[in-house]
Amino acid sequence: MSTILLLTLSNIFMTFAWYGHLKFFHDKPLWATILLSWGIAFFEYCLMVPANRYGFGKFTGYELKIMQEVITLVVFVAFAWLVLGEKLKWNYAVSLACLALAAWFAFGVNRPPAPAA
């Protein structure tokens, strides 16, 4: 659970580093926006690296990456809706459903069942 929490928090920081300037700093010079984004991304790395270190072994490298991408998309959908004021169109929803199916394949197929308690 700590891996998922750390990945979620890191993705919140990264989403603001990559897209927050579109709403909050669009009137600043590009060089200042880049430096500010780097500063925000520092905190993303401070969370992402431990998330992957703690998660590796419980999850494979592939699973960690797929999990990170799914979390990134969930965080971005919330960000786009709440911060950027964008609606989720049907084609984006279908695309996200396809990615959810991909995550199901990654985690559900050929994974041994959890041991009984």
Side-chain angles (χ1 to χ4, degrees):
M1 191 58 152
S2 63
T3 298
I4 294 169
L5 178 63
L6 289 170
L7 286 173
T8 301
L9 293 172
S10 73
N11 275 285
I12 291 169
F13 278 102
M14 201 58 177
T15 298
F16 272 93
W18 284 5
Y19 301 101
H21 65 90
L22 299 175
K23 176 77 172 189
F24 302 111
F25 306 111
H26 56 86
D27 57 340
K28 303 289 183 219
L30 185 57
W31 66 267
T33 303
I34 291 169
L35 289 177
L36 180 63
S37 291
W38 276 358
I40 296 169
F42 169 78
F43 296 102
E44 183 267 344
Y45 276 86
C46 289
L47 295 165
M48 180 66 76
V49 171
N52 286 317
R53 181 166 289 186
Y54 298 149
F56 190 66
K58 296 177 195 138
F59 303 102
T60 67
Y62 285 108
E63 289 171 333
L64 284 169
K65 184 60 181 171
I66 292 165
M67 187 184 320
Q68 186 266 328
E69 293 299 335
V70 169
I71 291 169
T72 295
L73 289 169
V74 169
V75 168
F76 182 78
V77 166
F79 179 87
W81 179 53
L82 296 170
V83 178
L84 299 178
E86 296 182 1
K87 304 280 189 232
L88 181 61
K89 297 178 181 178
W90 73 268
N91 58 322
Y92 301 146
V94 170
S95 300
L96 293 170
C98 290
L99 291 168
L101 185 60
W104 178 81
F105 273 103
F107 286 94
V109 177
N110 292 327
R111 187 149 180 91

